[in-house]
Amino acid sequence: MMREVKFVCRELDCGNPVSESRGPLIEDGRGGVTLLSCSGDESTIRQCGIGGPGFCDGGYYHHVTCSESVRLVDGAGLCSGRVEVKSNQSWASVCEADFDRQDAEVVCRDVGCGAPAVLQGGLYGEGEGQTWDKEFQCKGKESLLLDCDTSDRENTCPPGNAVGLTCSEPDDVRLVGGGSRCAGGVEWYDQGEWRTVGAADWKRRDVAAVVCRQLGCGSTVSELLGNTTRGIRVSCSGFESSLRECRRSYDLHPGLTVICSDLLVQPDIFLTDPMGGVFRGHQGPEMFRGYNFTITCSTQPQYPGGSFHLTFTGSNRTQTQPAVNHSAAFLFPAADYSHQGNYRCVYDNYVFSHNFSSESELFSLTITGN
């Protein structure tokens, strides 16, 4: 439904949609019309499909909150685009030189998104209008961009420097009961409470794909419909960046459980040397020849079992051990030059009838004879 809400904000010249909520139509005594669908190509909401007056699907009317004075345009979703500020009833691009991380934090908050992720000039084009003529001096805690102090800009803004901003998606979707932030029943924080998310059977894969994408959890491994309950029924095309961009309704539906590919947390890798043969060199840890050392792989207590593979780039050699108390220790009795190279821990586990894997960061070890 956020696509239709975006049209409302745009038609009122009020920036980006920040949130939408619903009120009971019958109790409030209001009539209304049903907004059926918008394709995204319309220039006005009047071109969208509109049902007859006096009836609204589900008995609800919409409250829409728009960002009013700032918006992100020409981006991939609601939380990315070129930063534009409303000035004298027209929209102006902001110059990269007049914009910093603290300003970005306020803009992301103002448009209802999460923390800023990417800040780069020229990322989403230049726009066709004017350039904002002031420099923002936000402290980062303000709720609205226009709450920030400003100063007059001294220099002109060269082409290719209109600031583009990508914010993270809002933290309003979660997976619960699966032992991982990337597995479980889908819930959406809506109107002050967490509500169960469900979908029609033929839409469950599309909804699951959006959930995994929004959470940064990779791709969908499986999706399952459970008990019928009251909550939010969501319908997505599968290409949206967040559930906010999908259509939704409030009715009875089967709850949706999703398992994403990045189920396992990243394991840790570290080195111990009981004989004191390791010292910190310019390029990282260095080990004296002849000393024994141990490389330990560990992971957070997420699921029981599993195994660790220690890979070594100096050869095709891989060592494997079962995970005991979520860790495994690989002993090297006497260091020599053949042990120099890059090591990585790979944690494998069979969970929810699927094999999952997660890799640690690369660990570089140098062997020295001095």
Side-chain angles (χ1 to χ4, degrees):
M1 195 62 196
M2 215 59 174
R3 180 188 295 162
E4 286 77 9
V5 173
K6 189 173 184 179
F7 275 98
V8 174
C9 292
R10 187 171 72 184
E11 187 141 330
L12 295 173
D13 203 24
C14 286
N16 281 41
V18 175
S19 66
E20 64 154 333
S21 61
R22 292 162 172 76
L25 191 69
I26 298 174
E27 292 179 15
D28 197 75
R30 303 189 187 194
V33 296
T34 303
L35 185 59
L36 300 177
S37 65
C38 296
S39 68
D41 299 323
E42 297 87 352
S43 59
T44 170
I45 201 169
R46 295 181 182 87
Q47 296 174 352
C48 300
I50 296 178
F55 172 76
C56 283
D57 185 24
Y60 288 90
Y61 66 88
H62 287 272
H63 293 281
V64 178
T65 301
C66 310
S67 57
E68 187 175 359
S69 56
V70 62
R71 66 184 185 183
L72 302 176
V73 297
D74 296 337
L78 295 172
C79 292
S80 66
R82 184 176 63 256
V83 179
E84 291 189 349
V85 180
K86 196 172 185 180
S87 174
N88 297 323
Q89 302 307 309
S90 62
W91 292 92
S93 298
V94 177
C95 189
E96 183 182 21
D98 303 330
F99 200 82
D100 60 18
R101 178 81 181 187
Q102 290 174 308
D103 302 331
E105 289 175 358
V106 178
V107 169
C108 289
R109 187 178 302 120
D110 201 342
V111 298
C113 297
V118 179
L119 178 62
Q120 181 180 335
L123 192 60
Y124 298 105
E126 286 300 297
E128 300 176 356
Q130 58 183 326
T131 302
W132 178 252
D133 59 358
K134 295 183 183 297
E135 179 180 356
F136 288 106
Q137 297 175 332
C138 300
K139 297 179 175 61
K141 302 298 183 183
E142 296 88 347
S143 299
L144 305 174
L145 184 63
L146 292 191
D147 290 341
C148 298
D149 294 332
T150 59
S151 62
D152 292 333
R153 181 161 50 84
E154 298 179 359
N155 303 316
T156 59
C157 188
N161 282 268
V163 68
L165 176 61
T166 300
C167 310
S168 60
E169 293 295 337
D171 190 19
D172 59 358
V173 172
R174 67 183 184 184
L175 298 176
V176 297
S180 168
R181 61 175 297 273
C182 294
V186 185
E187 291 187 350
W188 191 346
Y189 192 74
D190 177 70
Q191 301 182 48
E193 64 178 299
W194 288 98
R195 300 173 186 264
T196 300
V197 170
D201 184 58
W202 61 90
K203 278 295 182 182
R204 65 182 188 181
R205 292 185 179 179
D206 295 331
V207 175
V210 176
V211 169
C212 291
R213 184 180 302 120
Q214 179 173 350
L215 293 175
C217 286
S219 58
T220 308
V221 173
S222 70
E223 71 290 323
L224 181 68
L225 294 177
N227 296 329
T228 298
T229 183
R230 183 169 294 280
I232 303 176
R233 179 173 177 171
V234 179
S235 178
C236 305
S237 69
F239 299 102
E240 296 87 351
S241 60
S242 72
L243 287 189
R244 292 201 307 158
E245 299 175 39
C246 303
R247 297 183 62 85
R248 58 177 140 164
S249 61
Y250 291 68
D251 54 14
L252 291 171
H253 58 267
L256 180 64
T257 296
V258 174
I259 299 173
C260 308
S261 59
D262 294 349
L263 178 79
L264 304 177
V265 298
Q266 186 181 39
D268 294 317
I269 181 170
F270 56 92
L271 177 71
T272 55
D273 62 317
M275 298 173 63
V278 173
F279 66 97
R280 184 64 57 178
H282 295 295
Q283 304 298 324
E286 296 187 15
M287 166 66 65
F288 289 120
R289 288 181 60 198
Y291 283 76
N292 68 46
F293 65 95
T294 299
I295 294 180
T296 300
C297 303
S298 67
T299 188
Q300 297 178 19
Q302 193 177 12
Y303 302 105
S307 61
F308 285 101
H309 311 283
L310 182 65
T311 64
F312 178 53
T313 58
S315 70
N316 293 325
R317 187 170 69 243
T318 299
Q319 301 183 51
T320 300
Q321 288 192 30
V324 179
N325 293 327
H326 312 289
S327 68
F330 298 87
L331 174 65
F332 294 82
D336 59 44
Y337 293 122
S338 67
H339 295 131
Q340 179 167 297
N342 298 319
Y343 296 83
R344 190 190 301 275
C345 292
V346 180
Y347 177 57
D348 289 339
N349 207 343
Y350 186 75
V351 188
F352 300 123
S353 302
H354 291 84
N355 288 307
F356 293 90
S357 181
S358 181
E359 297 183 347
S360 71
E361 296 180 352
L362 209 59
F363 178 84
S364 298
L365 179 64
T366 301
I367 306 297
T368 179
N370 299 325

